[in-house]
Amino acid sequence: MTAVLDDPVERTSPAPPAKAAKLSAGARAERRLGWLLCAPAVLIMLAVTAYPIGYALYLSVQRYDLRFPSEAKFVGLSNYGAVLSSPYWWDAFENTMIIAVVSVAIELVLGMALAIVMHRTIFGRGLVRTSILIPYGIVTVVGAFSWQYAWTPGTGYLSGLLGGAVPLTDRWQAIAVIILAEVWKTTPFMALLLLAGLALVSEDLQKAAKVDGASGWQRFRYVTLPLMKPAILVALLFRSLDAFRIFDNIFVLTSGGHNTGSVSILGYDNLFTALNLGIGSAISVLIFICVAVIGLLFIKGFGAAAPGSDLRD
Amino acid sequence: MPDRALRVRNPLPVVAVVVIGLLLAACGGGAASSATPTINLYIYPDGSGAVQQAIDTCNAASGGRYQISYQTLPTGADGQRQQLVRRLAAHDSSMDVLALDVTWAPEFAQAGWILEWTGANQTQATTGTLQGPLATATYNGKLYAAPFNSNTQLLWYRSDLVPTPPTTWAEMINMSTALAQQGKPHYIEIQGNQYEGITVWFNSLLASAGGSVLTPDGSAPSLGAPAITALTTMQQLATSVAADPSLSVQMENDNRLAMESGTAAFELNYPFVYPSMKADKPDLFQNFKWAPWPAVTAGQPAHVTIGGINLAVSAYSKHSDLAFEAALCLRNRDNQLVGAIKGGVPPSLSDLYTDPTLIAAYPFAAEIQASLATAAVRPLTPAYQNLSIAISHAVSPPSSINPQSAESTMASELKDALASKGLVP
Amino acid sequence: MAVTARQKAGWATANTVVVALALVPVLWILSLSFKDPTTIGDGSFWPKQWTLQNYRGIFKTSEFTRALVNSIGIALISTFVAVLFASMAAYAVARLRFPGKNVLIGMSLLIAMFPAISLVTPLFNIERTLGLFDTWAGLIIPYVTFGLPLAIYTLSAFFREIPWELEKAAKMDGASPFQAFTKVIAPLAAPGMFTTAILVFILCWNDFLFAISLTSTTRARTVPAAIGFFTGDSQFTAPTGSIAAASVIITIPIIVFVLLFQRKIVAGLTSGAVKG
């Protein structure tokens, strides 16, 4: 395995003109090795998802209500038209965007703070780090139950906080509760990824900046943050992809009632409750397109690098 | 330079072995026994043991011709429906007898997932069965399930606060207001969360006002003036002092807890609250009484929406004859009596309501039977789930109902739902 | 550099705030699990009447224990397989040149992005046909598939940061290839592997949708799905106490897992190969 890695330096410089069209034996072997190593992952991913994704796409262009199976027929893009012209879709989209943007923003700030605490706290390290990771490890529906009971009047300890109203039935209060549940649950995920980025910032640079008279905040803003950019972007990318598809917390807290549903809840209701496979699949594909747009935005727009993409082919 | 890259073992054979190994492990599931056919009963989990007892009795009585196996479904009705629908849509042949909620029969029948009950089976299933439960198992004039157990709401009240129970909703709200002025517990407990329970409340009020959700042939919404009356009643209660502050998140269990905590004077709920009050609050239990559901219009008795479970036979079952037989045994007189006493679910056979054993456990047996005899059913249509969502969204939260606009919104949403057009929220 | 009392106090406060915020909801569930069912609705944070009834209840039948065993076994196996496959792919992506790399990354992201709700029913159909429905393999295979994108991405990022030249340097210092790998590269790769392992484990542990759709008996049902089968005293009574007790029990392995691995991860992440 080490034969192909003998010369990392040569790799980054342009190939000399002598090795023009034909690949050397070494490069060919490297290619084969690359494909072989990727094979198990690729095979299992393809085998499991090719048919389901294909089937979902196929269903989205059918009018197919499971209760009337004999009436299934091809309808082209009319399902998409029905979804995009429905106020329910746009309400759900609005809810989803608000919840996703606000919760990711809060998680970024909190996650950074937690990463710093995990990195630099001078005592009680084990306790702090374990405590931070526990919310992430709790089963999502369990965490959601905890919040639901806490906010239920009578049963819960938080219910009196907002002046006796019933938070879970007021749209904006319920959305705030949902965001709280999301943030509590997934900030550790951000913190972990940010910690990895934080740890790569060299101590020497920090010391040098200190010697030059930079304050703690300035050091953070001008030394740490720029060096953490790749880690921040990867954390944001994955977190945003997930935030847009939020489901579990909303399902347990409000079941999407009182106009708090996300696009995933809408898809679930139409697919499983109304048994309208055509519409439900169209919603899923639209969710996928939105998520793909978000992903592209991060990768192309902000430069969240796909790892290994800087290695020339 | 020797190509030491190839020292890495080709991972493909390893992967293949792992995958095949997993597949083999999976296929280790038991081979089908050809001796005694197993009838798989898919039913809710029953902690009381009544269902298991029925199964054991029927297995003993089958004379070795079949063995019923208890396959649990999730506790909640939605979870049960999902599991059943997923597997029926895949033509799963391992399901035989299915326990359906009373609103599912038309949907499952339309999709071709359950078998019609004909001939002797039909006679046995219908003889002695109460009208309300039977109506929920019938679609397009055909019988698609055998009623198993039933359920209906009564008005529960505290006789120390309320000497004579109210007979109409308006009266009840007035009584509650009077109690409030005296500073006494006065809430009227009812299910106001945005879920099936509020649809049931609306349906009961609507039927009691003389209306119905759909036209008799089930093709269009009916609503109209009775619906406005029903909506007005809901809105009046929700905005009066009688309303529990948590009305908009309350379900049956929350109502029970509130009543037991002593803050309420009235409760519209299922009989499960009776043994619970007896066990939890013996002092309050002394004054815990029941009465029929209040009417909407004086002099016209209320029509209360019934709940319950029906037993159907899967269209993909490999032993459908035996499945019919097993289902009939499971819902026979003795097993329904056990279910009522041990399991706390009212039976669907009418003569059980005069059985002394039942009355001993159900002092309110007569009121339940009367209620079941005049019961309202939820719309019998394959599109029921869509209808229910449309209704529950239109009436939630009850305090914000504008009767006129809610009625017209509901009418148009119901029209779309019947045509399975558009999205559900 | 001496630590001042002010710094100590500052960190103590920070620590306390962090721990409290993280653990209050957990303590709330703990408290609910010890509350007597008749006092569940009383609204106080700590139980006024303590009882072990809820715990006894969930262990009365073997259903919950089976679900625990299923959860742990399935999650561990899925994590192992996913990290194994992902390490191989991530190594290739981070270190080797071959065409189709971006296709791989793109495909993994696509799979990570597609809503699972519409994949559940086709997956169910496939598994039923193959006889994988309601088996451990029936859950392991989807979990591995959906854990791979995150694992590949995370591991590639980690592997890219490892200074592979150190291996060469070690060999020039006289180490054998095996020694160079285990003593130099492996410790550098370990934090990334453990981090990825935790992320994948939690992904499998948390999953509800596949668990409820691809299982039907205690043979393969995991804990999140099993909670949906808890019953209360009657048809309408919510089994709050049982759910709370079950939640506490299933959190314990996570706490153990995290306690064991947090040291390895964080220590590895923060030691950094580039220092000095």
Side-chain angles (χ1 to χ4, degrees), chain B residues 34-124:
Chain B
S34 51
T36 320
T38 310
I39 300 292
N40 287 313
L41 167 67
Y42 279 83
I43 193 167
Y44 54 88
D46 177 31
S48 70
V51 171
Q52 186 62 56
Q53 187 172 340
I55 292 176
D56 296 335
T57 318
C58 288
N59 282 342
S62 75
R65 289 198 351 274
Y66 58 80
Q67 282 289 298
I68 305 177
S69 167
Y70 191 161
Q71 303 292 332
T72 31
L73 291 170
T75 310
D78 289 333
Q80 293 165 14
R81 180 172 165 274
Q82 259 188 47
Q83 297 275 313
L84 289 175
V85 165
R86 181 175 298 126
R87 297 175 70 169
L88 287 168
H91 303 320
D92 191 332
S93 61
S94 67
M95 303 200 289
D96 300 297
V97 180
L98 315 169
L100 305 183
D101 185 270
V102 290
T103 53
W104 301 344
E107 187 182 27
F108 283 43
Q110 180 69 42
W113 294 333
I114 52 180
L115 294 175
E116 191 194 337
W117 290 59
T118 53
N121 288 335
Q122 182 182 18
T123 319
Q124 266 197 285

Side-chain angles (χ1 to χ4, degrees), chain A residues 151-153 158-170 173, chain B residues 245-246 248-249:
Chain A
W151 289 101
T152 303
L158 287 174
S159 51
L161 217 58
L162 291 172
V166 189
L168 292 175
T169 54
D170 174 82
Q173 289 182 14
Chain B
S246 332
S248 51
V249 281

